Amino acid sequence: MSADQTSQLLSNWKNSLHQHGYRVTRPRLQVMEIVAATRIPLTPQDVYHKSLNLESPPGIASVYRTLEMLDVLGLIQQIHQPGGCHGIWPAVDGHKHLLMCRNCGQMQVIEGNEEITEYIRRIEEDTGYEVDEHWLQLFGICSECSK
Amino acid sequence: MSADQTSQLLSNWKNSLHQHGYRVTRPRLQVMEIVAATRIPLTPQDVYHKSLNLESPPGIASVYRTLEMLDVLGLIQQIHQPGGCHGIWPAVDGHKHLLMCRNCGQMQVIEGNEEITEYIRRIEEDTGYEVDEHWLQLFGICSECSK
DNA sequence: TCCTTATTGATAATGATTATCATTATCAAT
DNA sequence: ATTGATAATGATAATCATTATCAATAAGGA
Ligand SMILES: [Mn+2]
Ligand SMILES: [Mn+2]
Ligand SMILES: [Zn+2]
Ligand SMILES: [Zn+2]
């Protein structure tokens, strides 16, 4: 996430708060800045501990409340991690798949493809299920970490 | 999971304990019977509460310890559920994909396909990652629940 | 600037998981 | 079958994360 992208995200998020009648407060901004800038998924505890570096950190309750709010607004999504759940990650537009480095935690968003859609359609026929959501998460080692 | 499959699973699990030098105790058997027989993912708390119906239930600590042991032995796997993590489910042989009913929690194991393998190989080329694991989980409504 | 009230933060309450340790029970060796 | 070393248990305490409470504060429209 570049600095540009982060501030872009932040201003979108602030707009979303305004549009939904949420007040834009300092504790909320502090949490949003941390989450918008992260390159790896963060737990609520992670966010709280990062915030402690700030001059006047938010209370732990406000961290949870702000993350809950961001989730309700669809601005963040939960990432299910191997051996530990959940991390927080800025939501991506539309449906995307995720790739995560086991070593450094770095997340990468990858595009879906037509074969998977077709595969799922076949599953629906075979099982009689109506599939309305799918997760595809890939795990491995990024090129940086495998050097 | 039919009664046959359940007892098959159980005897495999007991063999595994023996082979790895774990003692086969009553609390462990009680937990294993519950987990082997379930049709939906169970949390440790779920397992514990089910066990309370038994004449002489295991202590809560033994429930956690047994589930940890089964996990270490690769006999169960963690299922990541939407809006709630984790459930416990008997491990399936090799790599399989999972389909879960949002309404009744029923799990179904589905086969992977060649297109997904090819898709992942393409991702590796594009990103430089070495992908060593992937999760594909589908969510929807089973035919029973959509009646 | 004022006023309404949404929001905050300190703290208590709750709930789940893990650690402790004296007692018990498994199972290999006899 | 009995014994003995020790793995395992269970009651309970400790820890840790999350949620609830409520008086004080501050956002933002009037
Ligand atoms: Mn997809
Ligand atoms: Mn999860
Ligand atoms: Zn990496
Ligand atoms: Zn169903």
Short mmCIF file of all heavy atoms in Angstrom, two decimals, chain A residues 79-81 84-86 135, chain B residues 79-81 84-86 135, ligand 2:
data_model
loop_
_atom_site.label_atom_id
_atom_site.label_comp_id
_atom_site.label_asym_id
_atom_site.label_seq_id
_atom_site.Cartn_x
_atom_site.Cartn_y
_atom_site.Cartn_z
N ILE A 79 -9.73 -11.56 7.58
CA ILE A 79 -8.88 -12.54 6.91
C ILE A 79 -8.68 -13.73 7.83
O ILE A 79 -8.32 -13.57 8.99
CB ILE A 79 -7.50 -11.93 6.59
CG1 ILE A 79 -7.64 -10.70 5.72
CG2 ILE A 79 -6.61 -12.96 5.94
CD1 ILE A 79 -8.20 -10.95 4.36
N HIS A 80 -8.94 -14.88 7.30
CA HIS A 80 -8.73 -16.09 8.10
C HIS A 80 -7.31 -16.56 7.88
O HIS A 80 -6.92 -16.85 6.77
CB HIS A 80 -9.72 -17.17 7.71
CG HIS A 80 -11.12 -16.77 8.04
ND1 HIS A 80 -11.78 -17.23 9.14
CD2 HIS A 80 -11.95 -15.91 7.43
CE1 HIS A 80 -12.98 -16.69 9.19
NE2 HIS A 80 -13.11 -15.88 8.16
N GLN A 81 -6.55 -16.63 8.96
CA GLN A 81 -5.15 -16.99 8.84
C GLN A 81 -4.92 -18.41 9.33
O GLN A 81 -5.59 -18.87 10.24
CB GLN A 81 -4.31 -16.03 9.68
CG GLN A 81 -4.54 -14.58 9.32
CD GLN A 81 -3.66 -13.65 10.12
OE1 GLN A 81 -2.51 -13.95 10.38
NE2 GLN A 81 -4.20 -12.53 10.53
N GLY A 84 -4.47 -19.04 13.31
CA GLY A 84 -4.74 -17.81 14.05
C GLY A 84 -5.71 -16.93 13.33
O GLY A 84 -5.49 -16.57 12.19
N CYS A 85 -6.75 -16.60 13.99
CA CYS A 85 -7.85 -15.88 13.37
C CYS A 85 -8.32 -14.78 14.30
O CYS A 85 -8.38 -15.01 15.48
CB CYS A 85 -8.99 -16.84 13.15
SG CYS A 85 -9.75 -16.74 11.58
N HIS A 86 -8.73 -13.68 13.86
CA HIS A 86 -8.74 -13.16 12.50
C HIS A 86 -7.82 -11.97 12.42
O HIS A 86 -7.61 -11.32 13.42
CB HIS A 86 -10.13 -12.67 12.11
CG HIS A 86 -11.20 -13.68 12.25
ND1 HIS A 86 -12.22 -13.63 13.13
CD2 HIS A 86 -11.38 -14.83 11.55
CE1 HIS A 86 -12.99 -14.69 12.99
NE2 HIS A 86 -12.51 -15.43 12.04
N TRP A 135 -14.37 -18.52 -0.66
CA TRP A 135 -13.07 -18.00 -0.27
C TRP A 135 -12.02 -18.80 -0.99
O TRP A 135 -12.01 -20.03 -0.90
CB TRP A 135 -12.80 -18.23 1.20
CG TRP A 135 -13.63 -17.49 2.14
CD1 TRP A 135 -14.36 -16.36 1.91
CD2 TRP A 135 -13.82 -17.82 3.52
NE1 TRP A 135 -14.98 -15.98 3.05
CE2 TRP A 135 -14.68 -16.85 4.05
CE3 TRP A 135 -13.34 -18.82 4.34
CZ2 TRP A 135 -15.07 -16.86 5.38
CZ3 TRP A 135 -13.73 -18.84 5.66
CH2 TRP A 135 -14.58 -17.87 6.17
N ILE B 79 -11.62 -25.48 10.65
CA ILE B 79 -12.46 -24.90 9.60
C ILE B 79 -12.69 -23.43 9.93
O ILE B 79 -13.11 -23.09 11.04
CB ILE B 79 -13.83 -25.61 9.55
CG1 ILE B 79 -13.65 -27.10 9.29
CG2 ILE B 79 -14.71 -24.96 8.50
CD1 ILE B 79 -13.08 -27.42 7.95
N HIS B 80 -12.43 -22.60 8.98
CA HIS B 80 -12.67 -21.17 9.19
C HIS B 80 -14.08 -20.85 8.76
O HIS B 80 -14.44 -21.07 7.61
CB HIS B 80 -11.67 -20.35 8.40
CG HIS B 80 -10.28 -20.56 8.89
ND1 HIS B 80 -9.65 -19.66 9.71
CD2 HIS B 80 -9.43 -21.58 8.73
CE1 HIS B 80 -8.44 -20.12 10.00
NE2 HIS B 80 -8.27 -21.28 9.43
N GLN B 81 -14.88 -20.35 9.69
CA GLN B 81 -16.27 -20.11 9.39
C GLN B 81 -16.51 -18.62 9.23
O GLN B 81 -15.86 -17.82 9.88
CB GLN B 81 -17.15 -20.64 10.53
CG GLN B 81 -16.91 -22.10 10.81
CD GLN B 81 -17.80 -22.61 11.91
OE1 GLN B 81 -18.95 -22.23 12.00
NE2 GLN B 81 -17.28 -23.47 12.75
N GLY B 84 -17.09 -16.37 12.54
CA GLY B 84 -16.86 -17.17 13.73
C GLY B 84 -15.87 -18.27 13.48
O GLY B 84 -16.06 -19.07 12.58
N CYS B 85 -14.85 -18.30 14.27
CA CYS B 85 -13.73 -19.18 14.04
C CYS B 85 -13.32 -19.77 15.39
O CYS B 85 -13.34 -19.06 16.36
CB CYS B 85 -12.58 -18.37 13.50
SG CYS B 85 -11.66 -19.13 12.21
N HIS B 86 -12.88 -20.98 15.48
CA HIS B 86 -12.82 -22.01 14.47
C HIS B 86 -13.72 -23.14 14.87
O HIS B 86 -13.97 -23.34 16.04
CB HIS B 86 -11.40 -22.60 14.38
CG HIS B 86 -10.35 -21.59 14.07
ND1 HIS B 86 -9.33 -21.28 14.91
CD2 HIS B 86 -10.18 -20.83 12.98
CE1 HIS B 86 -8.57 -20.36 14.37
NE2 HIS B 86 -9.06 -20.07 13.20
N TRP B 135 -6.65 -22.73 0.34
CA TRP B 135 -7.97 -23.06 0.88
C TRP B 135 -9.01 -22.64 -0.12
O TRP B 135 -9.01 -21.49 -0.56
CB TRP B 135 -8.29 -22.24 2.13
CG TRP B 135 -7.50 -22.51 3.32
CD1 TRP B 135 -6.75 -23.62 3.60
CD2 TRP B 135 -7.36 -21.65 4.44
NE1 TRP B 135 -6.17 -23.50 4.83
CE2 TRP B 135 -6.53 -22.28 5.37
CE3 TRP B 135 -7.86 -20.40 4.76
CZ2 TRP B 135 -6.19 -21.72 6.58
CZ3 TRP B 135 -7.53 -19.83 5.96
CH2 TRP B 135 -6.69 -20.49 6.86
MN MN E 2 -10.78 -18.23 10.55
#
